[in-house]
Amino acid sequence: MSSEYNNQSNTNPFLGKKVFFLYPHSVLQKEILDILIENEYEVYLINDHKKLMKVIEYFPNSIAFINIDEVLSVDAWEEYIKVIMNSEKLRSTQTGVVTYNNNKELAKRFLMELMIPCGFIILNLGVDKSLPILLKMLTANEAKGRRKHIRAITSESENTKFNININKTVLVGRILDISIAGMAVLLESTDVELTPKVEIPDIQLILKGIICRVSGIVAGARKDDKRCYIFIFNYVDDKAKVKIHSYIYKRLHDIMDDILKKL
């Protein structure tokens, strides 16, 4: 398991917080999720409330938005949240409620009596009203930390490669990790040395078989492996952004799924 995903990762303000949605509503999955990913939030969808308890213990200082419309009764959800808020192992997790229920007394019950820190978000107000509230809650609770971009470490078994053309020579290699801002790569060739600050106008990325193109600058090589280079992207068009964000989200979710299986 990558060191980025050990159970201390969320205590580091530079890494930000993991944001879990328990039993996410369809509107969240269809209309809101992509916007959260585009805004560089590390979002995970969980469909097992018992597993959520385990994963927030493994990742302290997370944020959990709980759908109180499904699976359990409202009273049972209240008790569930109380367990999280009162448990020594879980209480660093900040909770919020997501619901279609616009009952003011119910909202008061969770906000004023239970005092959940991440809000009571009513989805049937419409995405144009509920999304800003959700984003405001994530900002107020420092979900990003000091990190500007989420990053995914690739798997050696998947098709995540790149190629570039320098002086009529095509160089290929494997992508080691990637964000919307740049990537670390491992060149296949041991006979090539890339010059720092050189601009590469056409970088082809292959992200698990999905192709997109960006441009970037060679930031330098890693000292421990001269075949390993860092590229900073200086131009990523909208289509490429969608593809990169989609890959990162799916890759992080795959890693989280593996963790959940072991908990």
Side-chain angles (χ1 to χ4, degrees):
M1 188 180 301
S2 164
S3 61
E4 187 180 12
Y5 292 92
N6 64 42
N7 61 0
Q8 298 298 316
S9 64
N10 272 26
T11 63
N12 187 334
F14 288 96
L15 292 179
K17 301 175 182 179
K18 290 171 175 54
V19 181
F20 298 99
F21 285 90
L22 179 61
Y23 300 122
H25 296 80
S26 59
V27 66
L28 191 144
Q29 297 184 62
K30 293 177 181 178
E31 299 184 53
I32 295 177
L33 180 62
D34 287 345
I35 299 172
L36 296 180
I37 295 167
E38 288 170 12
N39 279 272
E40 302 289 341
Y41 288 106
E42 189 178 346
V43 178
Y44 300 93
L45 308 182
I46 303 287
N47 285 296
D48 186 326
H49 57 283
K50 294 179 181 178
K51 284 284 189 180
L52 179 67
M53 288 282 199
K54 294 179 180 180
V55 80
I56 61 176
E57 180 181 347
Y58 191 83
F59 292 108
N61 201 31
S62 296
I63 295 174
F65 289 99
I66 296 167
N67 171 8
I68 63 169
D69 298 338
E70 298 180 20
V71 183
L72 304 180
S73 68
V74 171
D75 289 344
W77 279 125
E78 184 177 2
E79 292 303 314
Y80 180 88
I81 294 173
K82 282 181 180 178
V83 170
I84 294 174
M85 296 179 73
N86 296 325
S87 167
E88 182 70 31
K89 295 180 179 180
L90 306 176
R91 65 186 180 191
S92 67
T93 294
Q94 298 153 297
T95 54
V97 164
V98 183
T99 180
Y100 283 124
N101 195 329
N102 59 4
N103 184 293
K104 291 183 179 180
E105 289 302 314
L106 186 62
K108 181 180 177 181
R109 181 172 160 185
F110 281 92
L111 291 172
M112 305 304 292
E113 297 174 16
L114 197 55
M115 299 182 70
I116 54 173
C118 291
F120 189 92
I121 299 167
I122 304 170
L123 292 175
N124 63 5
L125 293 175
V127 174
D128 58 331
K129 291 184 178 179
S130 57
L131 177 61
I133 296 171
L134 181 55
L135 291 172
K136 184 178 180 180
M137 289 298 172
L138 290 171
T139 300
N141 288 279
E142 300 180 323
K144 287 186 183 179
R146 300 177 192 176
R147 172 195 60 197
K148 292 183 179 180
H149 307 285
I150 54 173
R151 176 174 64 95
I153 296 172
T154 67
S155 168
E156 289 188 40
S157 62
E158 66 184 16
N159 187 17
T160 51
K161 301 178 180 179
F162 79 101
N163 63 69
I164 56 177
N165 193 322
I166 296 181
N167 298 324
K168 297 182 180 181
T169 299
V170 176
L171 301 179
V172 299
R174 187 169 75 83
I175 299 171
L176 301 176
D177 62 62
I178 188 168
S179 75
I180 203 72
M183 63 181 180
V185 303
L186 184 67
L187 291 177
E188 286 186 1
S189 175
T190 59
D191 301 324
V192 178
E193 185 173 339
L194 299 179
T195 305
K197 298 184 180 180
V198 168
E199 184 169 351
I200 303 174
D202 186 14
I203 304 172
Q204 184 183 73
L205 309 178
I206 304 172
L207 304 173
K208 209 170 182 178
I210 303 299
I211 297 174
C212 61
R213 281 184 158 82
V214 299
S215 65
I217 297 171
V218 179
R222 287 183 175 171
K223 293 180 180 179
D224 57 337
D225 189 340
K226 295 300 182 182
R227 291 189 302 144
C228 183
Y229 285 86
I230 306 297
F231 289 83
I232 303 298
F233 300 147
N234 58 9
Y235 180 73
V236 183
D237 66 24
D238 289 341
K239 289 183 179 180
K241 285 180 182 177
V242 169
K243 291 177 181 178
I244 293 171
H245 276 136
S246 177
Y247 169 77
I248 291 171
Y249 168 74
K250 290 175 182 176
R251 176 64 187 141
L252 291 178
H253 231 287
D254 285 346
I255 295 171
M256 185 61 70
D257 286 344
D258 288 341
I259 293 172
L260 286 168
K261 290 174 184 176
K262 298 173 183 177
L263 293 179

